[in-house]
Amino acid sequence: MYDIIYIGGGLNYAGAIVASKQGLKVALVETSLGHLGGTCLHEGCIPSKMFLHHANTVRQSNESVFRGELVLDMPTLTAQKTELLASASKSIMAQCKDVELIEGKGKLIAPHKVEVEGKIYEGEYIVIGTGSIPFIPEGIVYDKKAIITSNELLDLQKLPQTIAIYGDGAIGLEMASFFVSAGVEVTLISRHDRLLPHTHSSIQNAMTKELERQGIIYLKEHAISKAEPTEKGVHITFENGASSMYEQMLVATGRQPNTDVVATDQITVKRGIETDDFFQTTLEKHFAIGDCNGKLQLAHAARVQALNVTKQIMGKQPGKLNLDHVVRFIHTLPMSYATVGQNRQRLEEDGMEFKESSIMLSQFKPAAFHQAGNGVLIVYADTSGLILGAELFAPNAEELISSVAMALAGEMTVSMARQTIMAHPTFSEALERVYSRL
Ligand SMILES: Cc1cc2nc3c(=O)[nH]c(=O)nc-3n(C[C@H](O)[C@H](O)[C@H](O)COP(=O)(O)OP(=O)(O)OC[C@H]3O[C@@H](n4cnc5c(N)ncnc54)[C@H](O)[C@@H]3O)c2cc1C
Ligand SMILES: NC(=O)c1ccc[n+]([C@@H]2O[C@H](COP(=O)([O-])OP(=O)(O)OC[C@H]3O[C@@H](n4cnc5c(N)ncnc54)[C@H](O)[C@@H]3O)[C@@H](O)[C@H]2O)c1
């Protein structure tokens, strides 16, 4: 009998390592031990950011101060990616020295009982972290060659000349940035009438202008009814009757939680595995963390949930996590979008009185050489001045937002934030200016 069985070796590994270091008897079940670290390490955060990092150099090399043409060497990029992931996997494996690693697909067949390849393992506590897989809408023939998802993209040996990307969420926008920066003709296709419907309208406008400035063709209100590989490329038929051909197609229409691990009706599964505010499922001592619980599909959110649950099991009473304090971002080039806490749409829906202050980055000289003229920073506060959240569209916004995230965690007011004196010339200065206007 184990103290804890973790099912799924994505960010769950962080919890398993902590528990094993505390002397608990811990097992971790992972379909393939070569996949320890999960989607984030193998098909998500790390390889996608590596691809974007190198594509950014190509993008910058097209600025008029440079001569000559840079070409992204895909075989070298993918080989370096494979090498990086192998060494990261090895390091996770080493950290799991006191965890019993079990290879195979786990199934929770009854309370406290996990079946892996015909063998039953028992655990006092069970933590499910089985992640998610790409969702493919009906009518799209996913052949993994001409029609791909992010899984195949990160192993591409050759860039296509044209690509259609279906879905304008995190993966769609990040990969549109990657491809266009690398010199591919990109058509971004969305069923919506505007970009990122939940964000502030000035950020939607700024991001749309950026897509246009970079030459991305944005087909909004274009739902796809059929997409299939042909000898000449991918043939897409839209619900409005029109059709088009592209060399390749990336499907980026969301990810669905992996829930087939649950084979007992004592655990409720809806969109994801249902959990309470402490990530406990409908069955006591059985938890679900990360993508599979359908709350937030982010690696840092999965990790903090795995650690919170592990601390609860160890009797450390970590308290309830505030998921509003999780930074969310989309890493586009040359500016990314990042948000934390509340935004205008949520504050309006909640009927809360609030103040907002914004600034255009075009007012700041570095914006010219960072190609950040369309950038905008927005901060929200309540009527007493308590900082409630922010939305940023700026170079490295996912880094810039960390000072706002700390202000939220520390329950700072605008007048406290105004006492910071940021460095010149940085975009943090622009943030200082936003606080001074609130
Ligand atoms: C292209 C892309 C880019 C991304 N970029 C970012 C980013 O920059 N920042 C960010 O925060 N997030 C990013 N994400 C999201 C992030 O990868 C996920 O939110 C994160 O990996 C979720 O962690 P997890 O542990 O819940 O699941 P996963 O990482 O998916 O791990 C689940 C593991 O469980 C295993 N498993 C599944 N079923 C079973 C079973 N029955 N038995 C045993 N093992 C099983 C799987 O093999 C897998 O290893 C990105 C995702 C993608 C696809
Ligand atoms: N920087 C990051 O943190 C980062 C980067 C990439 C991915 N991720 C995570 O990975 C997850 C998956 O990314 P994603 O871009 O696939 O999902 P997403 O939810 O961000 O975007 C999916 C897009 O597809 C559209 N869509 C959904 N169902 C559809 C359908 N049936 N037909 C047509 N369009 C449809 C949605 O309206 C949306 O525009 C995200 O939730 C995100 O949290 C995070």
Side-chain angles (χ1 to χ4, degrees):
M1 175 86 155
Y2 292 93
D3 294 315
I4 315 177
I5 300 179
Y6 292 86
I7 313 177
L11 277 304
N12 238 348
Y13 79 79
I17 292 168
V18 168
S20 68
K21 280 193 176 153
Q22 292 289 315
L24 269 67
K25 193 173 176 220
V26 175
L28 188 149
V29 184
E30 165 59 49
T31 311
S32 158
L33 288 183
H35 201 256
L36 265 187
T39 303
C40 173
L41 178 61
H42 296 274
E43 301 97 14
C45 327
I46 304 296
S48 66
K49 286 356 168 242
M50 184 181 185
F51 273 43
L52 281 159
H53 170 78
H54 292 298
N56 198 26
T57 307
V58 181
R59 184 192 63 76
Q60 286 175 320
S61 76
N62 289 325
E63 290 169 17
S64 52
V65 294
F66 294 104
R67 290 211 200 102
E69 197 192 342
L70 277 193
V71 175
L72 201 53
D73 180 0
M74 293 305 286
T76 306
L77 175 59
T78 49
Q80 287 186 5
K81 176 212 74 164
T82 306
E83 207 177 301
L84 174 73
L85 303 194
S87 90
S89 262
K90 236 168 118 182
S91 146
I92 295 174
M93 192 78 95
Q95 293 174 66
C96 285
K97 64 181 172 35
D98 298 320
V99 177
E100 186 169 335
L101 297 173
I102 300 168
E103 189 161 35
K105 197 167 174 197
K107 220 169 200 46
L108 187 74
I109 51 164
H112 307 282
K113 285 190 174 49
V114 180
E115 186 187 286
V116 187
E117 313 221 323
K119 208 168 155 194
I120 313 281
Y121 299 85
E122 290 193 44
E124 165 96 20
Y125 289 90
I126 307 288
V127 185
I128 305 171
T130 44
S132 59
I133 47 166
F135 161 72
I136 313 284
E138 228 175 280
I140 296 177
V141 182
Y142 172 41
D143 70 339
K144 304 189 180 182
K145 287 192 180 77
I147 301 186
I148 59 173
T149 66
S150 54
N151 289 349
E152 294 75 39
L153 189 163
L154 297 164
D155 281 320
L156 273 189
Q157 295 301 303
K158 184 176 159 282
L159 289 170
Q161 286 191 334
T162 61
I163 191 157
I165 300 182
Y166 193 31
D168 53 355
I171 296 178
L173 286 167
E174 287 190 358
M175 291 305 125
S177 244
F178 165 74
F179 281 114
V180 82
S181 301
V184 177
E185 187 187 300
V186 177
T187 304
L188 184 64
I189 303 170
S190 169
R191 59 181 181 174
H192 297 300
D193 62 351
R194 67 211 136 105
L195 213 55
L196 301 176
H198 306 296
T199 57
H200 193 288
S201 58
S202 27
I203 289 190
Q204 287 169 8
N205 294 339
M207 289 185 85
T208 309
K209 272 195 211 157
E210 265 304 302
L211 294 183
E212 283 163 7
R213 188 182 72 78
Q214 294 176 31
I216 294 172
I217 302 158
Y218 182 42
L219 290 185
K220 53 188 181 181
E221 294 181 288
H222 271 68
I224 291 177
S225 55
K226 218 161 93 182
E228 50 196 358
T230 69
E231 272 176 17
K232 290 186 191 141
V234 178
H235 186 252
I236 294 182
T237 311
F238 298 98
E239 276 180 8
N240 64 12
S243 68
S244 289
M245 287 289 286
Y246 303 90
E247 188 176 332
Q248 240 170 352
M249 175 187 188
L250 170 70
V251 186
T253 45
R255 293 177 61 91
Q256 60 193 52
N258 263 331
T259 59
D260 62 351
V261 57
V262 176
T264 161
D265 54 16
Q266 282 170 273
I267 291 183
T268 303
V269 175
K270 287 186 183 155
R271 200 185 90 75
I273 301 172
E274 285 278 290
T275 59
D276 62 16
D277 287 345
F278 291 89
F279 315 106
Q280 182 161 268
T281 66
T282 43
L283 185 60
E284 213 190 335
K285 296 189 172 180
H286 292 66
F287 296 84
I289 63 98
D291 283 16
C292 70
N293 69 21
K295 287 189 199 291
L296 275 174
Q297 293 190 336
L298 293 167
H300 44 293
R303 181 175 184 277
V304 81
Q305 291 172 24
L307 293 174
N308 181 279
V309 164
T310 303
K311 285 184 193 153
Q312 289 178 53
I313 296 173
M314 294 187 316
K316 296 207 167 161
Q317 298 177 330
K320 185 178 144 193
L321 276 180
N322 186 345
L323 295 183
D324 280 345
H325 287 182
V326 175
V327 169
R328 284 154 283 147
F329 74 101
I330 300 179
H331 188 127
T332 39
L333 301 170
M335 289 184 283
S336 40
Y337 168 72
T339 181
V340 68
Q342 306 288 329
N343 68 9
R344 185 185 185 133
Q345 194 199 42
R346 281 185 54 192
L347 289 162
E348 282 179 347
E349 276 170 12
D350 293 348
M352 227 177 123
E353 263 190 78
F354 66 97
K355 298 187 282 185
E356 83 175 43
S357 163
S358 65
I359 203 158
M360 294 297 296
L361 293 188
S362 52
Q363 298 177 28
F364 294 82
K365 289 181 194 69
F369 52 85
H370 280 279
Q371 313 232 319
N374 286 323
V376 54
L377 309 185
I378 306 168
V379 176
Y380 304 94
D382 73 8
T383 46
S384 75
L386 184 74
I387 296 169
L388 296 175
E391 288 185 271
L392 314 181
F393 184 48
N396 302 314
E398 64 281 11
E399 301 274 4
L400 190 60
I401 198 121
S402 55
S403 69
V404 186
M406 284 185 75
L408 278 184
E411 299 184 356
M412 283 172 70
T413 60
V414 172
S415 59
M416 288 156 94
R418 269 192 218 129
Q419 290 173 38
T420 51
I421 301 160
M422 305 291 192
H424 173 77
T426 64
F427 293 115
S428 307
E429 255 185 317
L431 202 51
E432 187 187 317
R433 217 61 63 79
V434 180
Y435 288 130
S436 72
R437 292 173 174 192
L438 254 176

